[in-house]
Amino acid sequence: MAAPKKGRRPTGAQGRPGRALAIILIAMVALTAGMFLTKQTTPRLGIDLAGGTSITLKAKSEPGKPDAINETNMNTAIGIIERRVNGLGVSEAEVQKQGQDHIIVNIPKGTNEQQARDQVGTTAQLYFRPVLATADGAPVAPEANPSGSPSAAPSGSGSPSAGAPTPSSSATSQGRAVSEALKAPNAPSPSPSASESKKADDKATPSTSPSAPTAEQAAAADLQAKFAALDCSNEAQRTAVSKNVKPEDPTLACGKRGDAWGKWVLGPAQVAGTDVKDAKGIIDQQRGIWIVTMQFTDKGADKFAKITGELAAKQAPQNQFAIVLDGEVISDPSVSQALTGGNAEISGGFTQQSAMDLGNMLSYGALPLSFQEDSVTTVSAALGGEQLKAGLIAGAIGLALVVIYLLAYYRGLAFVAIISLIVSGILTYTIMALLGKGIGFALNLPAVCGAIVAIGITADSFIVYFERIRDEIREGRTLRPAVERAWPRARRTILVSDFVSFLAAAVLFIVTVGKVQGFAFTLGLTTLLDVVVVFLFTKPVMTLLARTNFFASGHPWSGLDPKRLGAKPPLRRSRRTGSDATAATVSVPVDAKEA
Amino acid sequence: MSKLGDLGAKLYRGEVGYDFVGKRFVWYGVSILITITAIVALAVQGLNMGIEFKGGAVFTTPKSSISETHAREVAEKASGHDAVVQKLGTGALRIQISDLDTNAAADVKAKLATDFKMDAAQINADLVGPSWGEQIANKAWTGLGVFMVLVVIYLAIAFEWRMAIAALIALIHDLTITVGVYALVGFEVTPGTVIGLLTILGYSLYDTVVVFDGLKEGSKDITKQTRWTYSEVANRSINGTLVRSINTTVVALLPVGALLFIGGGFLGAGMLNDISLSLFVGLAAGAYSSIFIATPLVVDLKEREPAMKALKKRVLAKRASAEARGEAPEGAGTEDAPEVVAQGRSGRRR
């Protein structure tokens, strides 16, 4: 800690109090302006104070899985939905079980309701399925295949398909029932050879095609007819195709390829989203590209090794697997070798956003149950206005009491503390208001209480500093040197104790979710602002005030009257005086060690 | 108030002083007694966990003009538990009441129907799970654990390990007392309570750190003098920071007290009460423990050190010889004073 130099003469920080004050003034003006420009003049209130939207979800019972709706699965689902809706962790959404098979999700007012509904409702099940065939989903012009970039999409597959999106003119080469179907025109606009499979390879495919000529052929034929007819750019069809799909059946699916839609014929699900332990979008330092890493559970690792082993032996497009989230293909990477060991990565064509999204969906997307929306309704504030009002009134009274106490005890000095509190208040309020929009920060009643308590925490810093100054005056110093000499030590105390507070806030923010996280955020914010205010406002103001006659002369009302403070009169500038006055103790800070 | 200022000056100069450290076993005893009471209360009574942790029942009424406030009163009277009432967009009321099982829910449903003058069949009752699942509570515990480890490491570096240990014990002491009060009084534990409790984490230590900072400074170069033992220096440090401690505690407690007595007084039980009660108890305990528990503990740990033992011996020997010569054993203005001054000066030269 760079103490303000040796010696009695005020130096260092004191030299430029104006600069610090200018900085904090600019910050306040900028924040306030930002608040009015973005029209976010009040902090967003949490659901307990402002009400919001309540979504009730019902777990769907699925044929063949009568026991799926059980407590464990429900709790897992609640955990996943909780993490999804709380995204950044400060939006204060609540997730709760109702009855046996319902989940209530309460979202505070001001959240993007549609987005929230999408997050909790539609993204339900995640599977890895082998790709049997693929085509552009949207109607395309005949012949000249515009499906130029099926794999340029973020959901792009691994390297192979990324390279060559050749419109295969000879779908026949696939020879099989499914691929035959590809030749059939797409529903809206007949485009017979529309880019069936990327990279159709004439040789090997027939033998490796999964749909062997068996009794299932009828089903396959059915599938191929549907595949031909499917138009993924049509939302109704898209929704229909992904409905009521059993994981163990082959299916059709749509998915985004960049801006356009693609469609797939997919085999039975081989690996479920629940088999994924963790997934992340990260940047590959060596190649400088975004990739998604996956880590499987033990069981999942076995299954994944098996499917990738099978797929690696096949030809495109059947060496790909599709990651299907609630019936929609979100990625279809190709496989070049069996991936054992439970770790895998997907690369190719990701942007930062798409890699992180996919990682997020993979790790959180695997709901063990599927849900349907039962009802969506607005709810009023659970606590009602009176609690907030009472809280604010109590806060105002508490603040008034603090002010009275400070005035009575510190007199003139109290004004420094009070104005510092006001500065702190303005900064806190504007930042909270801005963060409502920025990161979905919602102020709930606990956070309001936290902010009120923060009054005390902030005032503490001033007290630490003021008491130090008074100690210096008791030493017999005049105000100007006292203010400067007291600062380094007060600063150390303030920093150490604020660091402890901040540590508590940071740890809580990192490891917890929901309300605790929102609260930890408030605590961390107020602690940081405390440091900012003390450094950039209180200290410079003290420096300036020390130059005024009122304070420097120790006016009885300044709170710094040496006589009242019990400084040893007569006031001598000599340091010895101080030593005498305090000779009785070794703990005397006369000889400031840092000075 | 200037009286407190005088006191501050006297404390600062060491003209008056309270023997916190010397009487530490009294305080330890008091604290152990309180802690045991808290633990017993916790074991016997347990905590009254709110709906957020335990779940309960949710009742949905048909569209009605009953106000939320009225509904809450009725629901709380009918069930004897806290209720959360929300008006739905459809005009219906959603009433959540904690800690009801199926049977109790049927009873309450009947009572609600009578009070609301509705047909019981119109009211839909369902059990709800906790909105604050174990998961969140567990994470809060994890956070607590991680924080404690980190803060001990930090304090051990910033101060020394003895102070870190003492601070940790003081922190656990504060948390135990706060939780004990909840068990004793039977207030419902809500997320607000937990949040209040977590606030204490930072705050209890804040106070302790301020006192330790004074102690660290005061005990610098302590082995270079023979006038005071470590425990005496520690006691002086506490006295020296006493005014600061009183002021910071008063200022912190004022807003919380306002929340507790005014906010709570207006509205009776509620979220404000939950939070402010845990804060109030925790803050008060934090202020107490930093003076009466944390610092004495540091002294106990520190005086086991050979260097401190040796110092104590020297100090006592010196006092004995001074007494033998018929001089006053201690105090300002005695012959010892110049020595300390000299000590101080030599410190400055370095």
Side-chain angles (χ1 to χ4, degrees), chain A residues 54 96-97 99 377-380 386 405 409-410 457 460 468 475 493 519 564-566 575 584 586 591, chain B residues 2 9 12-13 68 72 87-89 94 96 127-129 195 199 203 213 217 228 243 247-248 279 348:
Chain A
S54 179
Q96 159 178 37
K97 188 169 105 174
T377 175
T378 58
V379 286
S380 69
E386 83 262 36
Y405 183 83
Y409 190 71
Y410 287 115
I457 296 180
D460 272 10
R468 279 292 192 186
E475 299 288 335
T493 311
F519 156 78
R564 270 175 186 280
L565 293 180
R575 292 178 132 206
V586 229
D591 308 302
Chain B
S2 62
Y12 183 71
R13 287 195 299 266
E68 285 131 283
R72 179 158 57 237
K87 201 161 203 115
L88 304 183
R94 178 193 281 172
Q96 298 196 49
L127 294 185
V128 285
I195 285 170
T199 312
Y203 210 91
D213 204 45
E217 197 179 292
W228 310 107
V243 173
N247 277 346
T248 54
L279 275 175
R348 187 159 62 242

Side-chain angles (χ1 to χ4, degrees), chain B residues 6 30 37 111 128 134-135 167 175 203 212 236 257 295 316:
Chain B
D6 289 344
V30 169
T37 317
K111 282 188 203 161
V128 285
E134 249 167 66
Q135 237 174 348
L175 293 178
Y203 210 91
F212 280 2
R236 280 176 180 283
T295 311
L316 293 181

Side-chain angles (χ1 to χ4, degrees), chain A residues 6 47-48 54 56 75 78-79 82-83 94-100 102 104 106 377-383 386-387 390-391 393-395 397-399 401-402 405-406 408-411 445-446 449 452-453 455-457 459-461 463-464 467-468 470-472 474-475 489 492-501 503-504 507-508 511-516 519 523 530 563-568 575-576 579-591 593-594, chain B residues 1-2 4-6 8-9 12-14 51-52 58 60 68-69 72 84-90 94 96 124 126-132 135-136 139-140 142-144 146-147 150-151 154-155 158-159 191-192 194-195 198-199 201-203 205-207 209-210 213-214 216-218 220-221 225 227-228 233 236-237 240 243-244 246-252 254-256 258-259 262-263 266-272 275 279 283 331-332 337 340-341 343-345 348:
Chain A
K6 216 174 153 94
I47 192 162
D48 54 351
S54 179
T56 309
N75 286 340
I78 287 171
E82 165 98 51
R83 271 175 297 184
E94 294 171 356
V95 183
Q96 159 178 37
K97 188 169 105 174
Q98 177 178 352
Q100 291 303 307
H102 285 79
I104 307 177
N106 293 323
T377 175
T378 58
V379 286
S380 69
L383 290 169
E386 83 262 36
Q387 282 268 340
I393 292 172
I397 293 172
L399 186 60
L401 289 174
V402 169
Y405 183 83
L406 288 175
Y409 190 71
Y410 287 115
R411 308 206 167 181
L445 195 59
C449 291
I452 291 169
V453 173
I455 298 170
I457 296 180
D460 272 10
S461 313
I463 291 172
V464 168
E467 285 298 325
R468 279 292 192 186
R470 291 179 145 205
D471 284 351
E472 294 294 333
R474 286 175 186 134
E475 299 288 335
R489 295 198 210 119
R492 189 188 61 204
T493 311
I494 292 168
L495 282 177
V496 171
S497 41
D498 270 346
F499 181 82
V500 170
S501 285
L503 190 66
V507 168
L508 286 175
V511 302
T512 61
V513 292
K515 261 186 197 155
V516 178
F519 156 78
L523 188 67
D530 177 34
K563 255 184 259 155
R564 270 175 186 280
L565 293 180
K568 270 262 157 99
R575 292 178 132 206
R576 189 70 67 84
S579 301
D580 288 345
T582 50
T585 166
V586 229
S587 67
V588 167
V590 181
D591 308 302
K593 303 299 188 290
E594 64 268 60
Chain B
M1 283 301 161
S2 62
L4 195 52
D6 289 344
Y12 183 71
R13 287 195 299 266
I51 189 168
E52 290 87 350
V58 59
T60 318
E68 285 131 283
T69 323
R72 179 158 57 237
V84 175
V85 178
Q86 287 169 305
K87 201 161 203 115
L88 304 183
T90 52
R94 178 193 281 172
Q96 298 196 49
N124 185 34
D126 225 335
L127 294 185
V128 285
S131 61
W132 252 55
Q135 237 174 348
I136 305 185
K139 284 189 172 167
T142 315
L144 186 66
V146 172
F147 169 73
L150 287 181
V151 91
Y154 174 71
L155 291 179
F159 297 111
V194 176
I195 285 170
L198 293 173
T199 312
L201 288 186
Y203 210 91
L205 285 170
Y206 192 109
D207 232 28
V209 164
V210 170
D213 204 45
K216 183 190 175 188
E217 197 179 292
K220 217 172 193 175
D221 297 330
Q225 50 87 46
R227 202 173 147 71
W228 310 107
V233 169
R236 280 176 180 283
S237 293
V243 173
R244 227 187 313 177
I246 293 172
N247 277 346
T248 54
T249 306
V250 168
V251 165
L254 283 176
V256 178
L259 272 182
I262 298 160
F266 267 135
L267 298 166
M271 190 69 152
L272 286 176
I275 301 172
L279 275 175
L283 290 184
V340 179
V341 172
Q343 186 69 44
R345 269 191 237 113
R348 187 159 62 242

Side-chain angles (χ1 to χ4, degrees), chain B residues 49-223:
Chain B
M49 304 301 271
I51 189 168
E52 290 87 350
F53 296 98
K54 265 201 309 212
V58 59
F59 303 90
T60 318
T61 70
K63 186 174 161 54
S64 71
S65 55
I66 298 160
S67 78
E68 285 131 283
T69 323
H70 177 63
R72 179 158 57 237
E73 282 164 16
V74 169
E76 284 177 356
K77 220 174 103 200
S79 64
H81 294 280
D82 280 6
V84 175
V85 178
Q86 287 169 305
K87 201 161 203 115
L88 304 183
T90 52
L93 287 174
R94 178 193 281 172
I95 305 168
Q96 298 196 49
I97 306 177
S98 61
D99 202 17
L100 293 183
D101 57 17
T102 319
N103 291 335
D107 278 355
V108 173
K109 182 172 157 181
K111 282 188 203 161
L112 287 180
T114 322
D115 279 329
F116 293 158
K117 302 189 179 61
M118 283 173 188
D119 187 358
Q122 284 181 296
I123 300 178
N124 185 34
D126 225 335
L127 294 185
V128 285
S131 61
W132 252 55
E134 249 167 66
Q135 237 174 348
I136 305 185
N138 283 343
K139 284 189 172 167
W141 282 115
T142 315
L144 186 66
V146 172
F147 169 73
M148 282 182 173
V149 171
L150 287 181
V151 91
V152 164
I153 294 172
Y154 174 71
L155 291 179
I157 295 168
F159 297 111
E160 57 170 311
W161 67 266
R162 292 173 193 84
M163 291 188 179
I165 299 290
L168 184 68
I169 293 174
L171 176 63
I172 294 171
H173 166 267
D174 301 342
L175 293 178
T176 315
I177 290 181
T178 313
V179 173
V181 167
Y182 266 78
L184 266 180
V185 183
F187 281 116
E188 206 161 79
V189 177
T190 64
T193 318
V194 176
I195 285 170
L197 207 62
L198 293 173
T199 312
I200 298 170
L201 288 186
Y203 210 91
S204 155
L205 285 170
Y206 192 109
D207 232 28
T208 311
V209 164
V210 170
V211 178
F212 280 2
D213 204 45
L215 175 57
K216 183 190 175 188
E217 197 179 292
S219 61
K220 217 172 193 175
D221 297 330
I222 186 170
T223 50

Side-chain angles (χ1 to χ4, degrees), chain A residues 518-553:
Chain A
F519 156 78
F521 188 86
T522 313
L523 188 67
L525 179 70
T526 49
T527 309
L528 278 183
L529 287 179
D530 177 34
V531 176
V532 168
V533 169
V534 170
F535 273 68
L536 293 183
F537 188 82
T538 313
K539 165 65 178 56
V541 163
M542 275 315 297
T543 303
L544 287 180
L545 285 182
R547 296 176 185 170
T548 65
N549 196 38
F550 177 78
F551 282 97
S553 67

Side-chain angles (χ1 to χ4, degrees), chain A residues 295-571:
Chain A
Q295 207 192 341
F296 290 94
T297 61
D298 291 348
K299 232 171 72 187
D302 292 344
K303 290 194 233 170
F304 192 70
K306 188 165 154 271
I307 182 182
T308 50
E310 284 170 16
L311 290 177
K314 294 182 184 177
Q315 299 294 325
Q318 296 178 356
N319 66 347
Q320 293 174 291
F321 64 83
I323 300 173
V324 187
L325 187 65
D326 203 41
E328 192 175 313
V329 175
I330 54 173
S331 180
D332 61 345
S334 60
V335 178
S336 51
Q337 65 183 75
L339 296 169
T340 54
N343 288 304
E345 64 172 57
I346 311 173
S347 60
F350 285 115
T351 62
Q352 174 175 3
Q353 190 59 45
S354 62
M356 291 188 146
D357 281 352
L358 181 56
N360 199 37
M361 283 191 247
L362 284 171
S363 45
Y364 296 144
L367 278 182
L369 296 167
S370 54
F371 291 89
Q372 67 192 36
E373 254 176 32
D374 228 27
S375 72
V376 178
T377 175
T378 58
V379 286
S380 69
L383 290 169
E386 83 262 36
Q387 282 268 340
L388 179 60
K389 217 196 278 169
L392 293 180
I393 292 172
I397 293 172
L399 186 60
L401 289 174
V402 169
V403 166
I404 292 169
Y405 183 83
L406 288 175
L407 276 174
Y409 190 71
Y410 287 115
R411 308 206 167 181
L413 268 189
F415 286 104
V416 180
I418 292 162
I419 298 168
S420 303
L421 279 176
I422 293 171
V423 169
S424 177
I426 292 174
L427 290 175
T428 312
Y429 185 87
T430 49
I431 290 176
M432 280 180 169
L434 285 171
L435 287 180
K437 186 115 190 191
I439 60 169
F441 175 79
L443 196 63
N444 57 11
L445 195 59
V448 173
C449 291
I452 291 169
V453 173
I455 298 170
I457 296 180
T458 310
D460 272 10
S461 313
F462 310 146
I463 291 172
V464 168
Y465 184 32
F466 292 165
E467 285 298 325
R468 279 292 192 186
I469 294 177
R470 291 179 145 205
D471 284 351
E472 294 294 333
I473 288 176
R474 286 175 186 134
E475 299 288 335
R477 277 191 192 84
T478 54
L479 185 60
R480 280 172 77 154
V483 162
E484 297 313 314
R485 286 177 62 93
W487 175 237
R489 295 198 210 119
R491 180 177 59 193
R492 189 188 61 204
T493 311
I494 292 168
L495 282 177
V496 171
S497 41
D498 270 346
F499 181 82
V500 170
S501 285
F502 189 76
L503 190 66
V507 168
L508 286 175
F509 186 81
I510 292 167
V511 302
T512 61
V513 292
K515 261 186 197 155
V516 178
Q517 216 174 23
F519 156 78
F521 188 86
T522 313
L523 188 67
L525 179 70
T526 49
T527 309
L528 278 183
L529 287 179
D530 177 34
V531 176
V532 168
V533 169
V534 170
F535 273 68
L536 293 183
F537 188 82
T538 313
K539 165 65 178 56
V541 163
M542 275 315 297
T543 303
L544 287 180
L545 285 182
R547 296 176 185 170
T548 65
N549 196 38
F550 177 78
F551 282 97
S553 67
H555 189 280
W557 286 102
S558 66
L560 292 165
D561 180 4
K563 255 184 259 155
R564 270 175 186 280
L565 293 180
K568 270 262 157 99
L571 289 166

